[in-house]
Amino acid sequence: HQQLPRYLTQDEISRFFTAVRGLRDQALVTLMYHHGLRVGEVLLLGRGDDDVERVRILVRRLKGGAWSEQVLFSGTARLLRRYLARTTGEIASPLFPGRSGPLRRRQIQLRFVRCREWAGLAQHFTTHSLRHSIATHLLDAGASLELVQDHLGHRNIRSTAIYARITDRHREAFMRSIERSP
């Protein structure tokens, strides 16, 4: 049987974001969470891919997923505006630059681990857990499976359906807690 994705609860996500220091890292992990980006997809982002005036971002998906222009969450757009105002670079340069080119995959993973530890979260959470978390949180909020599929850039709805099994467990736990009340 397939193992269910490891995702952070709303409370754990809040604790995680409280531990994120620095404008660049805040913008980076917020984009990863809100748009379900894989680390490799963050590395593909250029300064010209975000259009904060139109509140959109171009997301290039890996694993054969569809590229798409996505609406930025308003909080993400505000963070990106502040970040872009304090940094310089050509339109074609990486959105999150390292010393030569974009930040490296390992640098992003280490930043995540540091924040995860500061937040006191379990070691089994990885950068990919942010992707699993937004999928689960969108479904919990009532988004359709098709919307989540599009948001994550999944080609096949079966890739997205695994998250419905998680939210069903949330519903079941909620129903059990109601049953126990007088």
Side-chain angles (χ1 to χ4, degrees), residues 120-164:
L121 298 171
Q123 286 186 4
H124 62 74
F125 292 123
T126 66
T127 53
H128 209 70
S129 299
L130 295 174
R131 181 173 167 85
H132 297 321
S133 299
I134 192 62
T136 305
H137 298 161
L138 286 170
L139 287 170
D140 279 346
S144 70
L145 210 51
E146 291 80 8
L147 184 137
V148 176
Q149 175 188 11
D150 180 63
H151 193 69
L152 296 181
H154 284 159
R155 268 197 175 158
N156 192 319
I157 194 80
R158 284 187 314 222
S159 301
T160 316
I162 185 96
Y163 298 109

Side-chain angles (χ1 to χ4, degrees), residues 85-105:
R86 293 183 189 175
T87 58
T88 58
E90 303 295 316
I91 266 191
S93 62
L95 183 58
F96 300 106
R99 287 202 181 98
S100 58
L103 277 176
R104 295 204 178 353
R105 178 179 304 272

Side-chain angles (χ1 to χ4, degrees), residues 34-46:
H34 279 162
H35 294 281
L37 300 179
R38 298 173 178 99
V39 173
E41 293 164 346
V42 171
L43 302 177
L44 296 174
L45 290 172

